[in-house]
Amino acid sequence: MAKNKTKSPASIGREQWLRFYRQMLKIRLFEEQVNQLYMSAKMPGLAHLYIGQEAVAVGVCEALRADDYITSTYRGHGHCLAKGAAVDKMFAELLGKVNGYCRGKGGSMHIADQERGNLGANAIVAGSTGIATGAAMSAKLRGSDQVAVCFFGEGALGQGLLYECMNMAALWKLPVIYLCENNLYNEYTHYSETTAGEIEARARAFGIPTESIDGQDVELVHKTLQRLVERARQGDGPSFVLCSTYRFHGHHVGDIDRAYYRAKKEEEEWKSKRDPVKLLTDKLLRLKIADPKLLQKIENETRREIEDGVQFALNAPYPDPDEVDQHVYA
Amino acid sequence: MTTKQAALIGGSAREITFGQAINEALAEEMRRDPKVFILGEDVAEAGTPFKVLSGLVKEFGKERVIDSPISEAAITGVCVGAAMTGMRPVVDIMFGDFVTLTMDQMVNQAAKIHYMSGGKLKVPMVMRTTLGATRRSAAQHSQSLHAWFSHIPGLKVALPSTPYDAKGLLKTAIRDDNPVVFFEDKMMYQQKGSVPEGEYTIPFGVADVKRPGKDITLVATSSMVQVSLKAAEILDQAGISAEVVDVRTTAPLDKETIIASAKKTSRAIVVDEGYERYGVTAEIASVIADGAFYYLDAPVKRMGAMDVPVPFSPVLEDQTVPTPESVVEMAKTLCGRR
């Protein structure tokens, strides 16, 4: 019996591995481009980069169907792309252009993509926990088997809405997964200074099963989510996943001088040892799922997609000024 | 409802309470549309402390009349999410004071989502809650906070003053594709009025002249409509003919009807139970000043709740809101009769 074969992951096929790679790379390159756009003053507003956390968004969304729901956060580009959003319409939205996802009215922090179940990024910390729980409730009331994933950062653990929602979800066995991305920092403050006790204990107190996993390992995130999504679909109720991860950049693009709240050494360690894209690349090569040539091909294709997307957005028109008072009411 | 309205609808005359009118509107809409459900505290068997929802759980079951934890923020947030994904929730917030706990979900989420998504997402939900003092319920159970929501683009705000309006406006609210905040005066639940048997709705943004008059206009909302009608009766005996305009919805606001009435009578008092400062009365007074300035014989006056937390002691509480007598006094002053 071939030993190495039994070691290779049984449930993840080659196409899926390559998709992980493509999607994670897309987020990474997209975000690097966002950084460029912002630094060159082409992008208005704020930019909260997701770089470093790609394995979470991709591992989760690859376990979802197109009609499953997600809600996202102000650090949400990765979630949107992982759920299937198009690069060009994303860039257009970031630049406030009319062919962006929200006709330029939402911007970076509010991208929604209804056709792919993305109910929107949210600039209020924990603000979307109600929406995700409500989408799960709606799925249950409508008798559909859709599942909702509620992405939030560990900063949202400070807000009561999350706990009110988890209580309801547990009581009513709603098909919702609370997905906490602990990137260690509530904006500029280490979570240990803001978060008493044990994180998972919060969900356990409601009788919600919890998982605590390495968020840099896309395979682990994916397999965990596959299991929990299936559980939710079967009507067994909510679950809570704590993903340990790290944002490589600051709270937002302008947060460059970070020495006062986190050590350069810590950043370097995560970047060199815990980079999810690098970890996946190494794994694909080690397991001979892909050779360097194939990975380079995927990278080239992805780079082209990003470049085309940026060009599309830069050339796209701004909304007609008359649009300002449209869409206030449906 | 006026006799003319009843004749137009062709329904048989029938007297039911304000509470029954709300109950009927909900029952009819739930029968009509399986997407409508109710979520709130003590809404099922208890039918709310005001008994407005009595019997609904029997007909529609606990799947559609759902008792929630005491979690106003989550009740509201969950309904925002449900509304965005194909349902038409009706949120029940027992006392209007508790809307404070729902503000992020109403103001930052429900009101913004349609606009922020460039018109792609909709939030068709209704939040029913109460307003009104004079129940001796003290400062945390007596406020009228409708001005807060009227301030926010993306929200609609309805304030019925009669059983007829309550039923017609609530049906419209449930069918509206936008978040609607629906304020019911808790002192009014037992008040009876004529409501036809047949189906009808009342469009938003259409004020109703509850009583025609020629000397002064009383523009009123919710509880203050009845107060203004009583004031108008007293004024009538003093030889002053007061027109009472019920705005019915503050967002959208029917500026035309208000301005037309002020032009006709040349004097106006705006009467509302919200706090006076920065309140609904200020907005309506400004509408009148803008639209009818050259027709006015006196400055527009505002009457609202006193700018104090509502006190418990009856002697104190009664001073804080406009009464028929205080409206009469103001009207007489404005008409130069004192």
Side-chain angles (χ1 to χ4, degrees):
Chain A
M1 209 166 144
K3 218 176 168 188
N4 58 346
K5 270 193 181 169
T6 55
K7 273 195 176 174
S8 73
S11 60
I12 297 178
R14 183 167 180 273
E15 285 310 305
Q16 183 65 71
W17 279 113
L18 295 179
R19 216 181 129 69
F20 287 157
Y21 183 72
R22 196 179 286 275
Q23 290 294 87
M24 282 168 62
L25 199 62
K26 190 191 284 185
I27 296 171
R28 174 67 55 95
L29 298 176
F30 181 93
E31 291 275 274
E32 283 172 357
Q33 203 45 243
V34 171
N35 200 19
Q36 286 298 315
L37 286 168
Y38 190 87
M39 295 304 221
S40 56
K42 286 180 182 133
M43 180 184 160
L46 297 166
H48 306 86
L49 299 181
Y50 191 70
I51 290 177
Q53 305 184 205
E54 295 91 340
V56 181
V58 172
V60 171
C61 291
E62 285 295 310
L64 296 176
R65 292 193 318 229
D67 69 337
D68 286 328
Y69 298 113
I70 64 161
T71 61
S72 172
T73 69
Y74 58 81
R75 199 179 302 287
H77 304 154
H79 307 140
C80 297
L81 289 166
K83 196 67 173 64
V87 165
D88 51 0
K89 287 172 79 179
M90 289 268 297
F91 277 127
E93 188 57 37
L94 298 187
L95 299 188
K97 301 298 183 75
V98 72
N99 20 25
Y101 270 106
C102 311
R103 303 187 70 79
K105 283 180 166 157
S108 166
M109 295 197 283
H110 302 296
I111 293 174
D113 181 11
Q114 195 181 12
E115 283 157 39
R116 286 162 204 84
N118 177 358
L119 298 176
N122 211 302
I124 306 293
V125 172
S128 79
T129 52
I131 294 169
T133 310
M137 183 180 184
S138 154
K140 186 165 183 175
L141 288 170
R142 286 182 284 112
S144 87
D145 65 348
Q146 291 160 291
V147 169
V149 172
C150 180
F151 285 104
F152 54 91
E154 85 292 335
L157 297 167
Q159 299 225 321
L161 182 66
L162 173 64
Y163 304 107
E164 295 187 15
C165 287
M166 287 201 293
N167 182 47
M168 286 181 185
L171 282 169
W172 302 333
K173 286 196 157 193
L174 302 181
V176 55
I177 295 161
Y178 297 100
L179 198 297
C180 179
E181 291 178 80
N182 182 5
N183 66 15
L184 305 185
Y185 293 90
N186 298 188
E187 300 202 354
Y188 312 95
T189 305
H190 194 271
Y191 85 102
S192 62
E193 292 180 46
T194 62
T195 315
E198 190 193 339
I199 291 175
E200 303 94 304
R202 290 158 159 79
R204 274 205 303 275
F206 295 106
I208 295 177
T210 66
E211 306 261 355
S212 189
I213 60 174
D214 176 5
Q216 308 307 85
D217 181 345
V218 65
E219 180 189 5
L220 181 59
V221 175
H222 183 66
K223 285 185 166 174
T224 306
L225 262 289
Q226 272 187 323
R227 190 156 34 80
L228 296 176
V229 166
E230 191 50 33
R231 183 180 179 277
R233 248 193 251 299
Q234 299 300 324
D236 292 336
S239 53
F240 182 98
V241 187
L242 178 63
C243 292
S244 302
T245 185
Y246 196 77
R247 55 162 216 245
F248 287 7
H249 289 254
H251 166 57
H252 68 93
V253 173
D255 173 22
I256 293 164
D257 182 16
R258 299 186 283 271
Y260 69 94
Y261 74 90
R262 77 182 197 189
K264 193 103 188 147
K265 193 167 164 253
E266 178 188 287
E267 288 186 17
E268 288 311 323
E269 272 196 19
W270 277 87
K271 283 179 191 170
S272 60
K273 293 180 191 154
R274 309 293 304 140
D275 179 341
V277 177
K278 195 167 174 298
L279 288 172
L280 177 62
T281 308
D282 292 348
K283 193 173 214 167
L284 294 182
L285 294 173
R286 196 173 65 245
L287 296 177
K288 299 197 189 323
I289 293 162
D291 56 23
K293 214 173 126 194
L294 177 59
L295 297 187
Q296 189 59 53
K297 183 173 168 275
I298 293 173
E299 187 177 328
N300 292 344
E301 286 165 6
T302 310
R303 280 194 190 281
R304 205 151 39 234
E305 187 184 354
I306 299 293
E307 277 160 27
D308 291 350
V310 172
Q311 276 316 309
F312 170 85
L314 287 170
N315 296 334
Y318 283 107
D320 186 310
D322 287 349
E323 277 210 20
V324 68
D325 61 356
Q326 287 173 20
H327 310 124
V328 177
Y329 293 102
Chain B
M1 184 175 63
T2 61
T3 332
K4 199 175 151 197
Q5 281 170 325
L8 279 174
I9 297 153
S12 56
R14 175 179 75 117
E15 297 262 315
I16 61 172
T17 66
F18 190 99
Q20 285 168 325
I22 297 285
N23 190 295
E24 276 190 10
L26 288 164
E28 286 176 20
E29 291 306 298
M30 289 177 84
R31 270 175 224 136
R32 188 185 61 81
D33 185 350
K35 297 192 289 295
V36 179
F37 72 93
I38 298 170
L39 182 64
E41 296 156 14
D42 300 321
V43 293
E45 278 83 5
T48 79
F50 305 112
K51 305 299 167 200
V52 177
L53 306 184
S54 294
L56 292 181
V57 72
K58 208 172 161 197
E59 179 175 355
F60 301 103
K62 293 200 82 153
E63 285 266 290
R64 293 183 70 194
V65 184
I66 307 165
D67 277 331
S68 73
I70 300 175
S71 307
E72 286 81 3
I75 294 168
T76 309
V78 158
C79 285
V80 174
M84 289 166 71
T85 54
M87 301 298 287
R88 302 189 85 87
V90 178
V91 182
D92 189 293
I93 300 292
M94 200 181 282
F95 281 87
D97 312 72
F98 308 160
V99 301
T100 51
L101 298 156
T102 73
M103 289 315 263
D104 170 58
Q105 295 303 306
M106 290 307 289
V107 174
N108 289 327
Q109 312 296 340
K112 306 284 191 283
I113 283 165
H114 186 66
Y115 191 83
M116 288 194 310
S117 69
K120 278 206 272 182
L121 295 165
K122 287 179 191 167
V123 188
M125 66 184 276
V126 180
M127 176 189 279
R128 286 183 46 249
T129 189
T130 59
L131 58 67
T134 66
R135 273 175 73 103
R136 323 314 186 194
S137 304
Q140 294 172 340
H141 281 67
S142 304
Q143 294 167 96
S144 301
L145 299 176
H146 47 286
W148 289 11
F149 296 109
S150 309
H151 185 64
I152 303 300
L155 298 179
K156 294 185 178 181
V157 180
L159 310 105
S161 72
T162 65
Y164 174 82
D165 287 350
K167 183 170 178 184
L169 289 170
L170 184 52
K171 286 168 77 82
T172 301
I174 292 169
R175 296 179 196 189
D176 199 293
D177 274 344
N178 298 283
V180 177
V181 191
F182 195 89
F183 281 93
E184 299 159 16
D185 173 17
K186 49 191 178 285
M187 292 299 279
M188 220 183 265
Y189 281 131
Q190 296 309 315
Q191 179 197 303
K192 284 193 166 181
S194 186
V195 176
E197 294 277 2
E199 153 89 14
Y200 71 99
T201 57
I202 298 172
F204 282 6
V206 180
D208 185 37
V209 178
K210 286 281 190 284
R211 176 192 170 114
K214 55 185 174 39
D215 297 327
I216 187 165
T217 294
L218 306 175
V219 185
T221 60
S222 184
S223 53
M224 292 298 113
V225 173
Q226 298 305 328
V227 164
S228 297
L229 285 169
K230 282 194 194 106
E233 275 174 37
I234 302 168
L235 287 166
D236 201 38
Q237 286 157 19
I240 295 171
S241 164
E243 176 150 303
V244 177
V245 177
D246 176 0
V247 305
R248 296 206 288 203
T249 57
T250 49
L253 180 67
D254 179 359
K255 296 180 181 178
E256 288 72 24
T257 301
I258 294 166
I259 291 167
S261 178
K263 281 181 176 175
K264 180 176 131 189
T265 64
S266 74
R267 291 178 180 85
I269 305 173
V270 190
V271 196
D272 175 70
E273 208 184 323
Y275 297 122
E276 198 168 299
R277 63 180 176 200
Y278 305 103
V280 159
T281 55
E283 177 68 21
I284 297 173
S286 158
V287 164
I288 297 169
D290 265 358
F293 183 76
Y294 293 108
Y295 296 78
L296 294 178
D297 289 338
V300 183
K301 285 293 179 185
R302 306 193 283 136
M303 299 180 75
M306 278 176 75
D307 296 323
V308 299
V310 180
F312 166 67
S313 173
V315 173
L316 300 177
E317 188 188 23
D318 288 346
Q319 293 185 64
T320 64
V321 290
T323 59
E325 293 71 28
S326 64
V327 174
V328 165
E329 202 177 320
M330 179 71 85
K332 282 183 173 172
T333 307
L334 226 55
C335 293
R337 297 295 184 84
R338 47 189 302 124

